[in-house]
Amino acid sequence: MNVLIIPTNRNAYPMPVMPLGACMVAEAAEPAGHAVRLLDLMFAADPVGEVNRLIRAHRPEVIGLSVRNIDNNDMRLPAFYIDELAPILKAIRRASPAPVVIGGAALTVMPEEIMRATTGRDPAGAGRLRQHVLAHGLVCLERTGNSRHCGE
């Protein structure tokens, strides 16, 4: 399967960080025969444009979003990063019928709230996604063609 994984973290303060979790997920999917592309949005001037460009070029069958930060932990000048996911998800939905898997460190902290804010859904298992689980989920999706049967 063609898989696109998008680390969505754009917070470079105090320094930019490598999307290690998303890289581990990509690395776990490749040995199972999946073609994986990673689009790190950290330095993207136009994140939505980059997402659209790579979806057109790669034609992913599954798209994974890695969500690292919920906010900036600054009480003086707070920033809530989950709101930045909505335009990315909207662009994905317009450009591709592929199922979207959302995971990452932020989902382990407040999975239900993030899923409701981004998708309007409250799926079971949110926040428990690990790299090997995605690889198994891709196999299930490839076999059944239906993402509804792969989270059970």
Side-chain angles (χ1 to χ4, degrees), residues 28 32 34 131-143 150:
H34 304 290
Q131 59 269 22
H132 62 280
V133 175
L134 179 64
H136 291 289
L138 291 172
V139 170
C140 176
L141 184 60
E142 196 168 42
R143 286 185 187 150
C150 297

Side-chain angles (χ1 to χ4, degrees), residues 46-69:
D46 177 15
V48 170
E50 287 295 313
V51 166
N52 283 324
R53 182 190 63 74
L54 201 53
I55 287 174
R56 280 193 306 274
H58 184 54
R59 303 255 183 237
E61 296 167 273
V62 175
I63 299 170
L65 292 180
S66 176
V67 184
R68 181 178 187 272
N69 295 337

Side-chain angles (χ1 to χ4, degrees), residues 63-145:
I63 299 170
L65 292 180
S66 176
V67 184
R68 181 178 187 272
N69 295 337
I70 296 167
D71 59 37
N72 64 350
N73 287 316
D74 186 340
M75 293 177 72
R76 293 170 292 153
L77 296 169
F80 189 63
Y81 302 128
I82 303 307
D83 294 338
E84 296 174 8
L85 293 175
I88 294 168
L89 273 168
K90 193 173 189 179
I92 290 169
R93 287 286 169 235
R94 270 192 252 136
S96 175
V100 176
V101 178
I102 301 176
L107 266 77
T108 63
V109 176
M110 48 190 290
E112 292 86 9
E113 294 86 348
I114 292 171
M115 297 305 286
R116 273 191 230 110
T118 57
T119 67
R121 299 184 194 143
D122 193 7
R128 293 191 292 271
L129 180 64
R130 299 291 184 262
Q131 59 269 22
H132 62 280
V133 175
L134 179 64
H136 291 289
L138 291 172
V139 170
C140 176
L141 184 60
E142 196 168 42
R143 286 185 187 150
T144 66

